[in-house]
Amino acid sequence: MRYALAMDVIALTRKLVDIESITGNEAAVGEALYHELCRLGYQARKMPVDGDRFNVLATHPEHPHPAAVFSTHMDTVPPFIPSSEDTLKIYGRGSCDAKGIIAVQIAAAERLRQEEIYVGLLFVVGEERDSQGAKQANEHPIGARFLINGEPTENHLALASKGTLRIELIASGRMAHSAYPELGESAIDKLLVALTRLRAMPLPASEGIGPCTFNIGLIEGGRAPNVIPDFAKAHLLYRLVGPTEDLRRQIVETAAGLATVDFYLEIPFMRFRSVDGWPTMIAAFTTDIPALTAWGEPLLVGPGSIHVAHTDGEYVEKKQLAEAVDIYCGLTKKLLNP
């Protein structure tokens, strides 16, 4: 069976969407992909990550070190949403981010194989949380010259992708009875002031890329409504457009005296090459690419819109899936035979 036809890509997309694979629970979809790739004649192997989680790497048996590798991730954000479709679209969690892309990459690899052009396939776990699968894969490269990574870019070639800086902001106080607030010290009040100052802090911008942005994603704290809170914390996420040394310093100075700052994850801002004849875009999101530095020069392209990813109405257009097969094939030929 071949997945070079658009309707077969649609069927595989729906099959993958219907396997729940929220980050941390990717084993079942990994098994499905492993068996499918073996059935298609690839030399597939499981790359252990942790527990029962694993990446899937597939190459042609006679070409174990291809010049180009297609890659994307198997995990999704919650909640699980099964697949459905209408005339134009496939719906469901992962339809565009990134199970439709998995189906497209397999289809493109199959079409290229018919032309005796052999690419690798690398499907990883954990992209939506900490890129743990990509980090593990980076310890076992296969000598590829190019890594074509798939994320929803509406089939435009990304010229850059923003980085990520995740922060835990922690405020401490002193408990007291709420009838006597003067006897306590509210950690929540401190945290609110710190967040207000951080929201007002100017953020850097990069010409042609846009501004650094930030989001207050989680807030928690306190004991009960009648207790002056002794602790409070918030999780913040900055979308990066350059180096972080100055930004980190400004954040610490802005929160000083109110809260401590723990910088617990950074994924750097990345720029990519352009290719003549391909439309381009700037990705305001982060990918696994910074964690796959040993897998060749990176490019970023895929079907679907990031604007509907992570939403309850996530979908991918069937037309974009079909077009993406052509794009992956054409881009590979262009890179290997410039």
Side-chain angles (χ1 to χ4, degrees):
M1 183 177 181
R2 293 292 185 261
Y3 285 108
L5 297 176
M7 286 306 296
D8 293 321
V9 170
I10 290 166
L12 181 55
T13 298
R14 290 200 61 177
K15 175 182 176 181
L16 295 174
V17 169
D18 285 334
I19 303 172
E20 187 266 295
S21 61
I22 293 167
T23 308
N25 194 38
E26 301 98 332
V29 75
E31 289 286 351
L33 283 168
Y34 172 80
H35 290 294
E36 181 64 17
L37 291 164
C38 288
R39 189 184 68 79
L40 288 169
Y42 290 90
Q43 185 70 46
R45 65 184 178 98
K46 302 173 184 178
M47 303 173 69
V49 177
D50 70 344
D52 63 353
R53 304 167 72 208
F54 55 89
N55 301 326
V56 177
L57 172 65
T59 56
H60 189 275
E62 297 179 5
H63 300 272
H65 302 289
V69 172
F70 299 159
S71 180
T72 191
H73 58 96
M74 297 182 285
D75 63 317
T76 71
V77 298
F80 170 66
I81 304 172
S83 74
S84 60
E85 67 177 288
D86 58 26
T87 304
L88 299 177
K89 301 172 183 175
I90 301 173
Y91 302 87
R93 178 62 75 229
S95 53
C96 77
D97 188 18
K99 292 179 176 179
I101 296 172
I102 293 175
V104 161
Q105 290 182 342
I106 294 174
E110 283 292 273
R111 184 181 296 179
L112 288 167
R113 184 164 67 164
Q114 293 168 6
E115 301 178 36
E116 298 186 347
I117 300 171
Y118 302 97
V119 301
L121 294 163
L122 175 65
F123 304 126
V124 301
V125 302
E127 189 271 348
E128 297 290 4
R129 182 175 300 165
D130 55 11
S131 292
Q132 189 174 2
K135 292 172 184 175
Q136 182 65 29
N138 211 42
E139 298 180 10
H140 305 281
I142 59 174
R145 290 165 50 206
F146 300 102
L147 176 77
I148 305 178
N149 190 254
E151 290 286 350
T153 68
E154 299 186 72
N155 285 335
H156 286 52
L157 199 62
L159 296 179
S161 67
K162 290 186 178 182
T164 291
L165 183 64
R166 294 192 180 190
I167 297 169
E168 186 177 59
L169 198 65
I170 304 169
S172 299
R174 185 173 65 255
M175 282 192 289
H177 195 293
S178 63
Y180 301 93
E182 69 276 7
L183 299 180
E185 186 179 29
S186 172
I188 288 179
D189 285 351
K190 287 183 176 182
L191 183 67
L192 291 175
V193 174
L195 291 174
T196 299
R197 291 180 181 178
L198 287 170
R199 291 182 65 193
M201 188 183 86
L203 296 176
S206 177
E207 185 175 355
I209 304 300
C212 172
T213 60
F214 103 114
N215 178 56
I216 303 169
L218 294 168
I219 297 178
E220 58 180 298
R223 306 290 179 176
N226 58 346
V227 178
I228 301 299
D230 63 326
F231 83 97
K233 64 181 178 180
H235 288 265
L236 316 181
L237 189 150
Y238 288 79
R239 296 289 179 180
L240 306 173
V241 296
T244 62
E245 183 177 356
D246 288 343
L247 177 63
R248 285 171 175 255
R249 176 183 52 77
Q250 291 174 351
I251 291 169
V252 171
E253 290 176 354
T254 300
L258 297 166
T260 60
V261 181
D262 177 16
F263 299 98
Y264 66 90
L265 176 68
E266 179 176 342
I267 302 173
F269 166 73
M270 299 285 292
R271 290 186 184 270
F272 311 117
R273 71 147 73 182
S274 61
V275 177
D276 290 344
W278 264 263
T280 60
M281 57 86 73
I282 303 297
F285 51 86
T286 305
T287 75
D288 271 331
I289 288 175
L292 291 168
T293 54
W295 284 76
E297 181 182 352
L299 297 94
L300 178 63
V301 64
S305 170
I306 197 68
H307 296 157
V308 299
H310 299 194
T311 71
D312 56 3
E314 182 176 347
Y315 69 84
V316 64
E317 294 181 4
K318 295 177 181 179
K319 180 181 178 182
Q320 283 200 13
L321 291 176
E323 291 171 347
V325 177
D326 296 333
I327 288 169
Y328 276 97
C329 291
L331 186 59
T332 302
K333 295 176 187 177
K334 182 86 170 179
L335 293 170
L336 300 184
N337 299 286

